[in-house]
Amino acid sequence: MTTPEMEATIDDNPVPESVAEAPGGGQQGQWRLIWRRFTMNKLALVSLVFIVLLILAAILAPLIATHDPLYLDVSKSLLRPGHENHLLGTDVLGRDVFSRLIFGLRTALIVGFVAELAALAFAILIGLVAGYVGGRPEQLLMGFTDVMYAFPGYLFAVILVTVMGRSVLAVILAIAIASWVGQARLVRAQTLTLKGRDFIEAAQAMGAKGPRVALRYILPNAMGPILVATSFGIPGAIATEAGLSLLGLGVQPPTPSWGSMLTEGIAYTQVAPHLMLAPAILFALTLLAFNWVGDGIREAFDTTGRAQ
Amino acid sequence: MSTRRQVLQWGGLAGGVSLVAGCGFSGNKPNGTGGDDGGGGSSTLTIEGPVLPTLDPQVISNGMWMVNRGLIEGMLMQTDDGTDVQPASAESWDVSDDGRVYTFHLREANWSDGSPVTADDFMFAYERLLEPKSSGAGVTLGANSYVSSLGIKNALQFQQGIVEDWAEVGVKAPDEKTIEITLETPNQGFLMGMTHASMCPLPKKVLEEHEAEWELPENIITNGPFTVEATQTNVSMTLVKNPEYWDADNVDLDQINYRMNDGTATPTLVPFENGEVDIMSVGDAAMLLRFQNEPELQGKLHSAKPGSIYYLALLHSKNETLSDIRIRQALSLAMGRDTAAKSVPLVEPTTSLVPQSVAGWDESVTNPEDIDKAKQLLADAGYPDGKGLPTITILNGGNPSPMITTIMSNWETNLGIKVANDAVESGVYVQKRSALNDANYIGFYFGSFAAELNWSKWVGSLWSPTFTKPFSLSAKDYQEYLDLQKSDLKPAELTKQLNEIADERCSDEVKQFAELTDKASKTVDPDEATEAFKIAAKAREDCFIFLPIAQGSYHFAVNERVTGFHPRPTGDQYYYKTLGVK
Amino acid sequence: MVRFTVHRLVRAIITLVMVSLLTFVLLQLAPGNFADLSAITSGATMTAQGQRDEVMSSFTARYGDQVPAWQQYLIFMKGAVTWDMGPSYKYPSLTVEGIIAGAFPVSATIAVLAVALALLVAVPIGVLAARRRNGWLDNLLMFLVTIGNSVPNYLMGAFLLIILVGRLNLLPSGGWDGPLNMVMPVIALAIGPMAVLARYVRSAVIETLREEYVTTAIAKGGPGRTIMVRHVLRNSLIPVVTVVGPIVASLMAGTVFIETMFRIPGLGQYFTGAATSRDMPLLMGTTLFFAALLVITNVVVDVSYGILDPRTRMERRPA
């Protein structure tokens, strides 16, 4: 027989298992408690505010951007930051770097959130069913997961982007396909751990049916580690888009994307460092913010940690 | 090789037992000569260039240029400036009065193992090159396409399977040291064409014995100034002087360390600046800018004459809007080549598909830009101020050149039309170039060509009439053309039927261009031929199927201690033979 | 234990067959073939389509004349099982198994050294951070680690190249001739795993510190360092080992950016090149090899985990 316990411990779970169990009280109260604990972590809170600001900036990009991100003027090529009303200078075609960064933010966040959420939805479906139902379906689903785990995501990216063109959708799909596997294993591991707990058995004894137990009791309690994984996954997706751009498989130019800006910036490091520094710093800050929010979520869910 | 031992060695190393230098590193080296750690010896140079997956001169890859540069010597080589030919493996040659038969007299020379270079080695190479389905020793991947520009009698027909007897092809070896080549028609570019890598001899006995592995360092023999001592695939190659080379006394260098650099990595001049590399090809815009901006780098950039053309070519589409030549002309006249060329360092705008350094080139072969006329043409075609014209797409492989982005912006500003970029993976690029695209997809693909600088090459061979004709077919005829390609007819019959469609149904402008080119290639007198080609070249410009954008050249960062560096516009770029160290 | 191992191995083989099928099917779906792509990338576009088809069929000829795709697949798989996959399309003088045998040791060395370096840094950082949990040192260390994790390895590589070679001229810019060539790629590749591992170590140590036997040992008044090493570290490292395996395995597959940047003859370049040039044998070979590596690592990790951890062993006994 397969030994779920063993796999549960092995399969990448960056979070020590200490999920908050639903203590008698309602779900509402539990989430409020978690939120209160989250806000106690100042770094996480500041990061969350930063991310919200990024999202606002992306939505309001046309209002914030000082120039048309696609407008080019070869005679204004490679202006330094601050010159001629260009806050962060211009690129080789004389396009405004600041405006391109702000519009690139849209691409980055759409790719990051949508790819990660798509991956998450699929991972929850596969992981929850496999973990809760068990038996043959579990074996099939986990077999499928194994295949995808051993299959190089790069190849999928090549084929998808090749067949669908360099659209945002293709990039999102390529990234989602590459990243759901780890999460599915995580969800299944959590499900398996929770399945044996008393309160689940109690719910079942009281007549709750399978899907209801899975969705109402198991999923919310598995949410901590899943949220953490997601908060790390979003910046991961943004970084992957940048990597794809480097290989000529990213979002279609001249649509501004951080990936393509970074690619171009690296080439111009010795000629015009601002071209590399501007996207690299914003990119790193975004990644940091998501990481810290992830940390905050982890600690907020970690009841044992609080006890000490 | 010693794979097992290596694994063990590396295994120990990986386990952190010891970090011993040396022996584990070079995969394929017979002895321990240093790889590419800088130009240490007084007559050693380190050269950085593209990755060479193979050294077969008949497989189109960067490897074939390496062969031509200094490993295997053909009958002729180019002069230092790349404008004429000089003797190489052939000591001398005669031309018949009608300009159709060339007789080459091979010199007494040896392969690097001491065996003589004979006419047999040439005949073997040419038959392998033209064999439609090469078997045994590798596959001549596309290199035979160059042969068509030489105009050797029955060569193309043999390659296409129309002529099946090798004896009918116009290549003969009357004796051990003579090669006689018969052409269909006189060809002013023939001798220059013979300097191409695909026309090199091959060591027959090595290829027969080792087949595809003939090019490995332990098997390869060469007749050129250098021979291969060691290879590290994807990383480096060590070349050493070939003492058997007929002109070895005039070869200064003892060794060349060739470092391979895949273009996708961060382009950087670092290895050149810190003295690791003596000669480095520089193609990246960011690197070229540094040579313009930084005083300490000035004077170290060496460029060949412009010999490459960037162009846009018409895409096939079910939507026939662009079949109206006025629209294509308008797009060409309003492209804004000045700013497009400015977006990339060291390229010059041009409105001719023939590089300006081809002897005899003048303004008569161009169609200068004229925005007012372009607007008028567009209005005449039914799209005043660009209104109603479907979006024009520019297709390109990989990330788009800044030239494309600039042209898009220029068309939008100058003509008021909508332009999109379709930057795709190279496999898709290949497919969309020749496919009959959907009705919502009209426009051009972006490409570039480099070749030797003569008229017959740039008019009769690149964007030749045969190549051009299918571009002017109607959507329906092109669909028929594509369907026919997929049929399982015999090659000879297939080619015949395809040509029938192309010849009969192409546009009148293209027919005109084809007739003029045909006339030019049959002209014997060189000056008259040039004039005839110029008329044909203008006729091709007037088809507006291929729109020239700019001309560019090869650039190199060259250390001051290097002597005898003579860059040329052809793909082999420069010869190793003349290189030396101060 | 035996039954478990056999079960895992069977699953591994099924996984590999599925991966190979998937790769082959995807490759058939991808536009363009090797001949077309070589023609385009080398400028031989004037070659007629018919001729390119001829050339392509001469490549596939080794799988039999005009054989259907599924038969090519079977012939290739037979070659893969017998470790005789024939020449690559792109590197005609090299066999696929020869390429893998040559490139894998290189990728493996870089990967193992990178993870070793990552561990060397991550373990002390993780332990220190755990002991000073939520103190300023913990925050500072985790801050640094997160920054490290936020820089993609190609950016790190470019920085190293420009600073260590361009500015300071301390190292050769690239190549594969001696240990000095490994410094930059190893550092560039170590940064990511370093951050992940430091986090792992930190949480694992915190978990272990809460265990009863550790609390008891501390209560007994044993010397701090002994407890840390004997009890805490040893027990915390078990979960860490389980993540190290897959990290090493995935790095061993090679990383195309770092390899091309520093001119290292590793597997990543071959794999990426095979995908972009549609070199079927090489792509199938490298993909399968990579998959096998991951799958085997997983089996080994699973099995050794069962042996290592007394708790899991005990839990299994009744079953």
Side-chain angles (χ1 to χ4, degrees), chain A residues 272-294:
Chain A
H274 68 275
L275 276 189
M276 186 270 292
L277 286 176
I281 290 173
L282 191 55
F283 186 50
L285 281 179
T286 308
L287 260 60
L288 269 177
F290 276 103
N291 267 308
W292 279 326
V293 169

PDB file of all heavy atoms in Angstrom, chain A residues 272-294:
ATOM      1  N   ALA A 272      23.624  51.973 -20.085  1.00  0.00           N
ATOM      2  CA  ALA A 272      22.597  52.763 -19.414  1.00  0.00           C
ATOM      3  C   ALA A 272      22.036  51.933 -18.266  1.00  0.00           C
ATOM      4  O   ALA A 272      21.018  51.277 -18.421  1.00  0.00           O
ATOM      5  CB  ALA A 272      21.507  53.141 -20.413  1.00  0.00           C
ATOM      6  N   PRO A 273      22.721  51.969 -17.104  1.00  0.00           N
ATOM      7  CA  PRO A 273      22.330  51.088 -15.997  1.00  0.00           C
ATOM      8  C   PRO A 273      20.876  51.268 -15.552  1.00  0.00           C
ATOM      9  O   PRO A 273      20.279  50.316 -15.049  1.00  0.00           O
ATOM     10  CB  PRO A 273      23.283  51.483 -14.871  1.00  0.00           C
ATOM     11  CG  PRO A 273      24.274  52.413 -15.437  1.00  0.00           C
ATOM     12  CD  PRO A 273      23.856  52.827 -16.796  1.00  0.00           C
ATOM     13  N   HIS A 274      20.319  52.470 -15.759  1.00  0.00           N
ATOM     14  CA  HIS A 274      18.945  52.682 -15.272  1.00  0.00           C
ATOM     15  C   HIS A 274      17.953  51.735 -15.953  1.00  0.00           C
ATOM     16  O   HIS A 274      16.937  51.390 -15.395  1.00  0.00           O
ATOM     17  CB  HIS A 274      18.518  54.134 -15.466  1.00  0.00           C
ATOM     18  CG  HIS A 274      18.351  54.548 -16.900  1.00  0.00           C
ATOM     19  ND1 HIS A 274      19.395  54.984 -17.673  1.00  0.00           N
ATOM     20  CD2 HIS A 274      17.254  54.578 -17.701  1.00  0.00           C
ATOM     21  CE1 HIS A 274      18.943  55.287 -18.887  1.00  0.00           C
ATOM     22  NE2 HIS A 274      17.654  55.039 -18.933  1.00  0.00           N
ATOM     23  N   LEU A 275      18.282  51.324 -17.177  1.00  0.00           N
ATOM     24  CA  LEU A 275      17.374  50.420 -17.890  1.00  0.00           C
ATOM     25  C   LEU A 275      17.237  49.085 -17.181  1.00  0.00           C
ATOM     26  O   LEU A 275      16.220  48.425 -17.273  1.00  0.00           O
ATOM     27  CB  LEU A 275      17.902  50.165 -19.311  1.00  0.00           C
ATOM     28  CG  LEU A 275      17.555  51.199 -20.359  1.00  0.00           C
ATOM     29  CD1 LEU A 275      17.956  50.712 -21.729  1.00  0.00           C
ATOM     30  CD2 LEU A 275      16.075  51.504 -20.323  1.00  0.00           C
ATOM     31  N   MET A 276      18.306  48.652 -16.499  1.00  0.00           N
ATOM     32  CA  MET A 276      18.255  47.398 -15.773  1.00  0.00           C
ATOM     33  C   MET A 276      17.804  47.627 -14.339  1.00  0.00           C
ATOM     34  O   MET A 276      16.974  46.888 -13.812  1.00  0.00           O
ATOM     35  CB  MET A 276      19.638  46.743 -15.810  1.00  0.00           C
ATOM     36  CG  MET A 276      19.701  45.365 -15.216  1.00  0.00           C
ATOM     37  SD  MET A 276      20.075  45.413 -13.479  1.00  0.00           S
ATOM     38  CE  MET A 276      21.759  45.996 -13.558  1.00  0.00           C
ATOM     39  N   LEU A 277      18.332  48.686 -13.712  1.00  0.00           N
ATOM     40  CA  LEU A 277      18.052  48.914 -12.293  1.00  0.00           C
ATOM     41  C   LEU A 277      16.577  49.181 -12.019  1.00  0.00           C
ATOM     42  O   LEU A 277      16.011  48.631 -11.072  1.00  0.00           O
ATOM     43  CB  LEU A 277      18.902  50.080 -11.773  1.00  0.00           C
ATOM     44  CG  LEU A 277      20.383  49.750 -11.580  1.00  0.00           C
ATOM     45  CD1 LEU A 277      21.169  50.988 -11.163  1.00  0.00           C
ATOM     46  CD2 LEU A 277      20.547  48.645 -10.545  1.00  0.00           C
ATOM     47  N   ALA A 278      15.942  50.004 -12.841  1.00  0.00           N
ATOM     48  CA  ALA A 278      14.550  50.361 -12.565  1.00  0.00           C
ATOM     49  C   ALA A 278      13.654  49.124 -12.496  1.00  0.00           C
ATOM     50  O   ALA A 278      13.004  48.890 -11.472  1.00  0.00           O
ATOM     51  CB  ALA A 278      14.046  51.369 -13.596  1.00  0.00           C
ATOM     52  N   PRO A 279      13.620  48.286 -13.535  1.00  0.00           N
ATOM     53  CA  PRO A 279      12.757  47.100 -13.407  1.00  0.00           C
ATOM     54  C   PRO A 279      13.267  46.127 -12.344  1.00  0.00           C
ATOM     55  O   PRO A 279      12.459  45.524 -11.632  1.00  0.00           O
ATOM     56  CB  PRO A 279      12.788  46.452 -14.790  1.00  0.00           C
ATOM     57  CG  PRO A 279      13.951  47.023 -15.489  1.00  0.00           C
ATOM     58  CD  PRO A 279      14.222  48.361 -14.883  1.00  0.00           C
ATOM     59  N   ALA A 280      14.586  45.988 -12.202  1.00  0.00           N
ATOM     60  CA  ALA A 280      15.122  45.013 -11.249  1.00  0.00           C
ATOM     61  C   ALA A 280      14.719  45.377  -9.827  1.00  0.00           C
ATOM     62  O   ALA A 280      14.323  44.508  -9.043  1.00  0.00           O
ATOM     63  CB  ALA A 280      16.633  44.917 -11.373  1.00  0.00           C
ATOM     64  N   ILE A 281      14.801  46.671  -9.478  1.00  0.00           N
ATOM     65  CA  ILE A 281      14.475  47.079  -8.109  1.00  0.00           C
ATOM     66  C   ILE A 281      12.980  46.908  -7.833  1.00  0.00           C
ATOM     67  O   ILE A 281      12.575  46.328  -6.825  1.00  0.00           O
ATOM     68  CB  ILE A 281      14.923  48.540  -7.861  1.00  0.00           C
ATOM     69  CG1 ILE A 281      16.455  48.595  -7.818  1.00  0.00           C
ATOM     70  CG2 ILE A 281      14.329  49.078  -6.569  1.00  0.00           C
ATOM     71  CD1 ILE A 281      17.031  49.983  -7.741  1.00  0.00           C
ATOM     72  N   LEU A 282      12.155  47.366  -8.770  1.00  0.00           N
ATOM     73  CA  LEU A 282      10.716  47.221  -8.574  1.00  0.00           C
ATOM     74  C   LEU A 282      10.334  45.746  -8.490  1.00  0.00           C
ATOM     75  O   LEU A 282       9.504  45.337  -7.656  1.00  0.00           O
ATOM     76  CB  LEU A 282       9.964  47.891  -9.728  1.00  0.00           C
ATOM     77  CG  LEU A 282       8.459  48.043  -9.534  1.00  0.00           C
ATOM     78  CD1 LEU A 282       8.134  48.773  -8.258  1.00  0.00           C
ATOM     79  CD2 LEU A 282       7.832  48.776 -10.713  1.00  0.00           C
ATOM     80  N   PHE A 283      10.971  44.954  -9.324  1.00  0.00           N
ATOM     81  CA  PHE A 283      10.758  43.518  -9.378  1.00  0.00           C
ATOM     82  C   PHE A 283      11.127  42.888  -8.030  1.00  0.00           C
ATOM     83  O   PHE A 283      10.332  42.162  -7.422  1.00  0.00           O
ATOM     84  CB  PHE A 283      11.654  42.985 -10.500  1.00  0.00           C
ATOM     85  CG  PHE A 283      11.497  41.538 -10.825  1.00  0.00           C
ATOM     86  CD1 PHE A 283      10.255  40.991 -11.049  1.00  0.00           C
ATOM     87  CD2 PHE A 283      12.619  40.723 -10.952  1.00  0.00           C
ATOM     88  CE1 PHE A 283      10.123  39.663 -11.385  1.00  0.00           C
ATOM     89  CE2 PHE A 283      12.501  39.401 -11.286  1.00  0.00           C
ATOM     90  CZ  PHE A 283      11.243  38.865 -11.497  1.00  0.00           C
ATOM     91  N   ALA A 284      12.315  43.225  -7.531  1.00  0.00           N
ATOM     92  CA  ALA A 284      12.776  42.669  -6.262  1.00  0.00           C
ATOM     93  C   ALA A 284      11.866  43.109  -5.113  1.00  0.00           C
ATOM     94  O   ALA A 284      11.518  42.316  -4.243  1.00  0.00           O
ATOM     95  CB  ALA A 284      14.216  43.082  -5.997  1.00  0.00           C
ATOM     96  N   LEU A 285      11.463  44.388  -5.119  1.00  0.00           N
ATOM     97  CA  LEU A 285      10.577  44.882  -4.054  1.00  0.00           C
ATOM     98  C   LEU A 285       9.252  44.125  -4.061  1.00  0.00           C
ATOM     99  O   LEU A 285       8.737  43.739  -3.005  1.00  0.00           O
ATOM    100  CB  LEU A 285      10.299  46.384  -4.251  1.00  0.00           C
ATOM    101  CG  LEU A 285      11.400  47.338  -3.795  1.00  0.00           C
ATOM    102  CD1 LEU A 285      11.000  48.779  -4.071  1.00  0.00           C
ATOM    103  CD2 LEU A 285      11.675  47.146  -2.301  1.00  0.00           C
ATOM    104  N   THR A 286       8.707  43.902  -5.246  1.00  0.00           N
ATOM    105  CA  THR A 286       7.441  43.180  -5.354  1.00  0.00           C
ATOM    106  C   THR A 286       7.588  41.765  -4.812  1.00  0.00           C
ATOM    107  O   THR A 286       6.753  41.280  -4.046  1.00  0.00           O
ATOM    108  CB  THR A 286       6.993  43.142  -6.825  1.00  0.00           C
ATOM    109  OG1 THR A 286       7.010  44.467  -7.328  1.00  0.00           O
ATOM    110  CG2 THR A 286       5.614  42.560  -6.967  1.00  0.00           C
ATOM    111  N   LEU A 287       8.673  41.114  -5.220  1.00  0.00           N
ATOM    112  CA  LEU A 287       8.923  39.756  -4.746  1.00  0.00           C
ATOM    113  C   LEU A 287       9.047  39.729  -3.228  1.00  0.00           C
ATOM    114  O   LEU A 287       8.460  38.876  -2.552  1.00  0.00           O
ATOM    115  CB  LEU A 287      10.208  39.213  -5.389  1.00  0.00           C
ATOM    116  CG  LEU A 287      10.017  38.273  -6.570  1.00  0.00           C
ATOM    117  CD1 LEU A 287       9.260  38.957  -7.695  1.00  0.00           C
ATOM    118  CD2 LEU A 287      11.345  37.772  -7.094  1.00  0.00           C
ATOM    119  N   LEU A 288       9.793  40.703  -2.692  1.00  0.00           N
ATOM    120  CA  LEU A 288       9.951  40.803  -1.241  1.00  0.00           C
ATOM    121  C   LEU A 288       8.609  40.950  -0.541  1.00  0.00           C
ATOM    122  O   LEU A 288       8.320  40.272   0.436  1.00  0.00           O
ATOM    123  CB  LEU A 288      10.810  42.022  -0.904  1.00  0.00           C
ATOM    124  CG  LEU A 288      12.319  41.826  -0.788  1.00  0.00           C
ATOM    125  CD1 LEU A 288      12.984  43.160  -0.514  1.00  0.00           C
ATOM    126  CD2 LEU A 288      12.631  40.843   0.318  1.00  0.00           C
ATOM    127  N   ALA A 289       7.799  41.854  -1.077  1.00  0.00           N
ATOM    128  CA  ALA A 289       6.511  42.134  -0.446  1.00  0.00           C
ATOM    129  C   ALA A 289       5.664  40.868  -0.379  1.00  0.00           C
ATOM    130  O   ALA A 289       5.090  40.541   0.669  1.00  0.00           O
ATOM    131  CB  ALA A 289       5.778  43.239  -1.218  1.00  0.00           C
ATOM    132  N   PHE A 290       5.587  40.143  -1.488  1.00  0.00           N
ATOM    133  CA  PHE A 290       4.805  38.901  -1.491  1.00  0.00           C
ATOM    134  C   PHE A 290       5.387  37.890  -0.501  1.00  0.00           C
ATOM    135  O   PHE A 290       4.655  37.206   0.196  1.00  0.00           O
ATOM    136  CB  PHE A 290       4.754  38.301  -2.893  1.00  0.00           C
ATOM    137  CG  PHE A 290       3.670  38.894  -3.749  1.00  0.00           C
ATOM    138  CD1 PHE A 290       3.965  39.821  -4.732  1.00  0.00           C
ATOM    139  CD2 PHE A 290       2.350  38.519  -3.549  1.00  0.00           C
ATOM    140  CE1 PHE A 290       2.971  40.367  -5.516  1.00  0.00           C
ATOM    141  CE2 PHE A 290       1.342  39.063  -4.346  1.00  0.00           C
ATOM    142  CZ  PHE A 290       1.653  39.990  -5.327  1.00  0.00           C
ATOM    143  N   ASN A 291       6.706  37.812  -0.456  1.00  0.00           N
ATOM    144  CA  ASN A 291       7.350  36.903   0.479  1.00  0.00           C
ATOM    145  C   ASN A 291       6.977  37.210   1.917  1.00  0.00           C
ATOM    146  O   ASN A 291       6.670  36.324   2.704  1.00  0.00           O
ATOM    147  CB  ASN A 291       8.875  37.017   0.344  1.00  0.00           C
ATOM    148  CG  ASN A 291       9.423  35.996  -0.624  1.00  0.00           C
ATOM    149  OD1 ASN A 291       9.146  34.813  -0.492  1.00  0.00           O
ATOM    150  ND2 ASN A 291      10.179  36.450  -1.601  1.00  0.00           N
ATOM    151  N   TRP A 292       6.997  38.512   2.254  1.00  0.00           N
ATOM    152  CA  TRP A 292       6.710  38.897   3.634  1.00  0.00           C
ATOM    153  C   TRP A 292       5.245  38.685   3.984  1.00  0.00           C
ATOM    154  O   TRP A 292       4.900  38.307   5.094  1.00  0.00           O
ATOM    155  CB  TRP A 292       7.137  40.346   3.875  1.00  0.00           C
ATOM    156  CG  TRP A 292       8.608  40.444   4.125  1.00  0.00           C
ATOM    157  CD1 TRP A 292       9.367  39.516   4.776  1.00  0.00           C
ATOM    158  CD2 TRP A 292       9.486  41.482   3.715  1.00  0.00           C
ATOM    159  NE1 TRP A 292      10.676  39.928   4.798  1.00  0.00           N
ATOM    160  CE2 TRP A 292      10.788  41.133   4.154  1.00  0.00           C
ATOM    161  CE3 TRP A 292       9.325  42.680   3.022  1.00  0.00           C
ATOM    162  CZ2 TRP A 292      11.900  41.927   3.941  1.00  0.00           C
ATOM    163  CZ3 TRP A 292      10.421  43.480   2.808  1.00  0.00           C
ATOM    164  CH2 TRP A 292      11.705  43.100   3.255  1.00  0.00           C
ATOM    165  N   VAL A 293       4.389  38.953   3.021  1.00  0.00           N
ATOM    166  CA  VAL A 293       2.976  38.675   3.260  1.00  0.00           C
ATOM    167  C   VAL A 293       2.804  37.186   3.521  1.00  0.00           C
ATOM    168  O   VAL A 293       2.083  36.781   4.444  1.00  0.00           O
ATOM    169  CB  VAL A 293       2.117  39.136   2.058  1.00  0.00           C
ATOM    170  CG1 VAL A 293       0.697  38.605   2.181  1.00  0.00           C
ATOM    171  CG2 VAL A 293       2.106  40.650   1.982  1.00  0.00           C
ATOM    172  N   GLY A 294       3.517  36.394   2.743  1.00  0.00           N
ATOM    173  CA  GLY A 294       3.473  34.943   2.954  1.00  0.00           C
ATOM    174  C   GLY A 294       3.901  34.573   4.357  1.00  0.00           C
ATOM    175  O   GLY A 294       3.237  33.788   5.043  1.00  0.00           O
TER     176      GLY A 294
END
